[in-house]
Amino acid sequence: MDMVAATPAAHVLVFPCPVHGHITCMLHFATGLLAAGLHVTFLHSDHNLRRAAAASSPRLRYVSIPDGLPVEHPRDVGRIVELMESLKTKASVAYRSLLASLLLGDATGGFPPVTCVVADGIMSFAVDVAEELGIPALAFRTDSACSFLAYLSLPRLLELGELPFKDGDDLDEPVRGVPGMESFLRRRDLPSQCRDCSDPDNDPLLQIVYGFTAHSGNARALVLNTAASMERAALAHIAPHMRDVFAIGPLHAMSPTAPAAGGSLWREDDGCLAWLDGQADRSVVYVSLGSLTVISLEQFTEFLHGLVAAGYPFLWVLRPDMVGASQSATLREAVAAAGKSKARVVEWAPQRGVLRHRAVGCFLTHAGWNSTLEAAVEGVPMVCWPFFTDQQINSRFVGGVWRTGLDMKDVCDAAVVARMVREAMESGQIRASAQALAREVRRDVADGGSSTAEFKRLVEFIVELSTTAVAAIKDEEYVASYVNI
Ligand code: UDX
């Protein structure tokens, strides 16, 4: 990433939603801002900062605020709405106070006052509070442009009567109303929040996701971790609804050095890389369902039998909190017994290193956006078993648009797992599409590529906003009234 001549006064507060996939993505973004010469304050929750062992450096510092939940709260996927609610009602108060103190120029570390906020687009309050204090704010979404466009199209889907689906409706019916996707989008490909809501006008979850998506139009700009070569059409349809849009991804490939310490909330098991070293080229199936997915014991068993039947060695990430109440040790034993010497289980893998490894032949994934981008950059064929939210539409793009893998959504059956894994491992066509996409995406992030150019434009945009922000903060008394409340 090119260094640009940034004013030293440009100081960006980066505020991700405090869950893993959002934090790592926005850390890569912060790494890019640092490389461009800006100051960055990275805002964690207290809970995550304790886990992340973050180390500040001369132009980067980590700070934290309480997320408002009790210490013993599990903060898992089943109760994520509670986390979102607590951020909005409780963390927002601490955030306002912190921002006010950073705005007035905090003495520690010689940092200039904060001049710009880049906040996770799923936390609208973070943009609003910043703007109320006179700090220009941008919305950053860590998911795909295609999912963002689907969320943005919810009113149109309702108007056309595409939502709600009724019990027993055919999920393979095409869906009109998401622009540019009429020829391939089916009901089952819509973000998971569109299912199981009999009264969409009053469905709280749907209202929340539509609310924060549309709200990005109030921010100074929308920043997306995506590449033009992957999502050109969706980006073009989003642009008229936003003040500006920057497609600057895949960020992990823009700043290939690991993001500043403080990324992973789990300890990576590097031993699996040595295990991969001992395997033949493209012989291993890598299985990971991301940081939030939970599965039942029955689903675990179907996956296990399918993987064994496929006949390839496999490396499986089984987070301790992933399979119901089952103990990790029991699951490991089950895998060892069924997979014999061909199976390796880890609680958390160095995923980018794994996907880059010559021994990996395909990726059985939940199609989280970070994982999808990481596989795209490495040209690894995918088998997608989406769990929730954006993953349902991401997997449709993998199977039906980029054709870099297969979409296994809504089925968890050993025979299907075995068949799809074999096809992804053996199909020359899928591999060729995956490698072609990888070449395009790598061009996007190389010097002169579209994402690199967009990142540069974004830095200039932030620097420009920062200059006007510094000039605009006149009401110090108002700001000071929020310090330490
Ligand atoms: C979910 C969404 O699906 C995603 O699109 C959204 O933006 C964030 O929430 P998550 O389950 O975290 O995401 O999946 P994903 O977006 O794929 O992120 C997982 C990250 O964890 C990836 O960067 C992956 O490399 C990393 N990972 C996963 C590891 O480093 N090791 C592992 O063992 C598993």
Side-chain angles (χ1 to χ4, degrees):
M1 196 174 294
D2 278 353
M3 292 282 287
V4 298
T7 151
H11 175 189
V12 184
L13 181 111
V14 177
F15 185 13
C17 178
V19 293
H20 183 273
H22 293 238
I23 295 169
T24 42
C25 176
M26 291 185 76
L27 265 172
H28 284 294
F29 173 61
T31 306
L33 295 180
L34 285 176
L38 277 61
H39 284 72
V40 176
T41 293
F42 196 90
L43 182 53
H44 272 296
S45 66
D46 292 347
H47 176 82
N48 286 335
L49 188 59
R50 275 194 295 274
R51 291 172 72 195
S56 296
S57 57
R59 273 184 294 105
L60 166 70
R61 68 178 164 191
Y62 294 93
V63 295
S64 67
I65 51 174
D67 60 20
L69 292 173
V71 177
E72 66 283 2
H73 191 287
R75 295 164 173 82
D76 60 16
V77 71
R79 294 173 66 181
I80 210 142
V81 175
E82 287 169 36
L83 173 65
M84 298 304 295
E85 195 52 34
S86 177
L87 290 168
K88 188 168 132 192
T89 55
K90 298 189 180 145
S92 59
V93 178
Y95 167 67
R96 185 188 295 271
S97 168
L98 174 85
L99 216 48
S101 70
L102 295 176
L103 187 55
L104 294 179
D106 179 48
T108 55
F111 272 58
V114 164
T115 56
C116 179
V117 164
V118 179
D120 200 310
I122 75 169
M123 302 188 303
S124 307
F125 73 84
V127 166
D128 292 341
V129 167
E131 292 281 354
E132 275 163 39
L133 292 175
I135 310 174
L138 287 70
F140 185 114
R141 282 291 285 264
T142 60
D143 47 6
S144 51
C146 61
S147 62
F148 187 92
L149 182 58
Y151 291 128
L152 204 56
S153 306
L154 285 171
R156 181 79 183 130
L157 292 170
L158 287 170
E159 198 181 295
L160 293 171
E162 297 286 11
L163 291 177
F165 321 138
K166 288 187 275 316
D167 253 2
D169 277 355
D170 180 4
L171 291 180
D172 287 321
E173 275 293 300
V175 168
R176 299 156 302 154
V178 186
M181 300 188 202
E182 295 84 354
S183 64
F184 58 86
L185 205 68
R186 306 160 301 178
R187 286 176 175 154
R188 69 172 76 251
D189 305 319
L190 286 170
S192 63
Q193 295 94 335
C194 295
R195 297 201 195 177
D196 304 326
C197 59
S198 51
D199 181 10
D201 283 322
N202 297 305
D203 184 83
L205 201 53
L206 219 50
Q207 297 302 323
I208 291 172
V209 291
Y210 175 69
F212 60 60
T213 302
H215 184 274
S216 293
N218 299 348
R220 302 295 175 115
L222 171 68
V223 183
L224 286 165
N225 183 23
T226 192
S229 62
M230 294 178 79
E231 302 206 88
R232 185 169 287 105
L235 287 164
H237 286 293
I238 292 168
H241 301 273
M242 301 291 132
R243 290 165 75 178
D244 204 341
V245 179
F246 295 87
I248 58 166
L251 280 160
H252 75 278
M254 298 274 289
S255 46
T257 49
S264 191
L265 303 179
W266 279 277
R267 187 192 294 269
E268 291 174 352
D269 182 340
D270 292 332
C272 61
L273 292 176
W275 180 81
L276 284 174
D277 287 343
Q279 307 296 327
D281 287 2
R282 293 184 193 166
S283 66
V284 174
V285 181
Y286 172 55
V287 187
S288 164
L289 301 177
S291 66
L292 296 166
T293 306
V294 287
I295 57 174
S296 65
L297 191 55
E298 290 70 31
Q299 289 169 327
F300 164 82
T301 307
E302 293 296 328
F303 277 123
L304 176 57
H305 290 160
L307 287 165
V308 171
Y312 296 97
F314 58 92
L315 167 62
W316 193 351
V317 177
L318 282 171
R319 299 187 332 269
D321 60 343
M322 194 168 144
V323 187
S326 311
Q327 298 296 316
S328 312
T330 317
L331 301 176
R332 275 172 181 270
E333 279 162 26
V335 177
K340 312 258 176 344
S341 58
K342 281 183 153 183
R344 173 95 184 189
V345 173
V346 291
E347 291 191 349
W348 193 251
Q351 181 162 303
R352 288 190 299 281
V354 168
L355 288 171
R356 205 175 300 130
H357 200 286
R358 53 153 191 84
V360 170
C362 89
F363 182 17
L364 174 48
T365 169
H366 66 316
W369 188 236
N370 294 303
S371 296
T372 303
L373 290 174
E374 290 158 13
V377 169
E378 302 307 332
V380 177
M382 300 160 77
V383 175
C384 302
W385 189 75
F387 174 61
F388 78 155
T389 59
D390 59 323
Q391 298 155 15
Q392 266 72 12
I393 190 165
N394 300 343
S395 58
R396 183 56 170 166
F397 271 70
V398 170
V401 178
W402 306 314
R403 300 186 187 280
T404 54
L406 300 165
D407 186 359
M408 197 171 70
K409 72 164 62 82
D410 301 325
V411 179
C412 191
D413 174 89
V416 178
V417 172
R419 177 169 56 77
M420 290 207 169
V421 163
R422 276 198 214 107
E423 191 179 339
M425 290 293 278
E426 291 160 20
S427 161
Q429 223 168 13
I430 294 177
R431 176 156 290 278
S433 303
Q435 292 184 339
L437 183 66
R439 280 192 295 277
E440 285 190 60
V441 175
R442 287 176 185 193
R443 260 198 298 274
D444 286 334
V445 296
D447 277 352
S450 66
S451 294
T452 309
E454 282 289 272
F455 196 94
K456 201 165 169 224
R457 187 170 76 85
L458 176 59
V459 169
E460 286 160 5
F461 183 81
I462 288 174
V463 168
E464 174 70 27
L465 281 178
S466 297
T467 315
T468 45
V470 171
I473 297 162
K474 297 202 180 76
D475 197 347
E476 291 208 3
E477 209 174 304
Y478 172 74
V479 173
S481 70
Y482 284 107
V483 178
N484 298 326
I485 54 167

